């Protein structure tokens, strides 16, 4: 009689344990999927960030003014922009440095064709 009780309770214990493990794995998979959906297109999560205005250091528009761009990307991001003549491309690194006009600095990295 005691043997039947122990055998029955082990089966129930294993069944309950398998249900708990299955539910835990399903919850983990669901939370990972929701976390991935929260990322903005492009994978950097910049959609929720307010845009900053950056001044491209060392560049001038044809009218002589400094070129400014708006971006929601984080400091350290490298962007590529054509020079005002359109013949060359230049890479800029966005920084947290605030300039006297209230914009942030985008420092040139190099010129290339």
């Amino acid at each position: 009689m005691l043997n039947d009780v122990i055998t029955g309770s082990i089966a129930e214990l294993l069944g309950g344990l398998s249900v708990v493990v299955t539910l835990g794995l399903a919850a983990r998979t669901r939370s990972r999927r929701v976390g991935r959906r929260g990322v903005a297109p492009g994978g950097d999560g910049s959609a929720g960030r307010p845009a900053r205005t950056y001044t491209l250091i060392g560049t001038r528009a044809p009218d002589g003014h400094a070129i400014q761009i708006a971006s929601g990307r984080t400091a350290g991001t490298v962007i590529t922009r054509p020079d005002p003549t359109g013949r060359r491309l230049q890479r800029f690194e966005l920084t947290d440095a605030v300039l006297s006009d209230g914009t942030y600095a985008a420092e040139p990295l190099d010129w290339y064709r």
Side-chain angles (χ1 to χ4, degrees):
M1 180 159 136
L2 183 60
N3 192 20
D4 293 335
V5 171
I6 292 174
T7 305
S9 63
I10 289 177
E12 289 181 16
L13 177 67
L14 291 177
L17 185 62
S18 65
V19 168
V20 169
V21 168
T22 302
L23 290 176
L25 289 174
R28 182 176 178 202
T29 302
R30 182 179 172 134
S31 68
R32 283 186 160 190
R33 284 186 186 164
V34 169
R36 275 193 221 125
R37 271 191 233 132
V39 174
D44 63 353
S46 66
R49 241 181 256 116
R52 290 181 169 180
T53 301
Y54 291 92
T55 299
L56 305 181
I57 304 296
T59 61
R60 296 279 176 214
D63 63 359
H65 290 92
I67 297 175
Q68 295 181 344
I69 60 166
S71 177
R73 296 184 184 262
T74 59
T77 301
V78 177
I79 60 169
T80 304
R81 299 270 307 170
D83 71 348
T85 63
R87 289 181 287 195
R88 297 189 294 180
L89 296 176
Q90 188 176 16
R91 295 186 323 151
F92 292 89
E93 181 177 3
L94 305 180
T95 68
D96 281 332
V98 180
L99 301 175
S100 61
D101 62 355
T103 63
Y104 292 87
E107 297 180 356
L109 294 177
D110 57 61
W111 290 93
Y112 61 97
R113 293 183 187 264

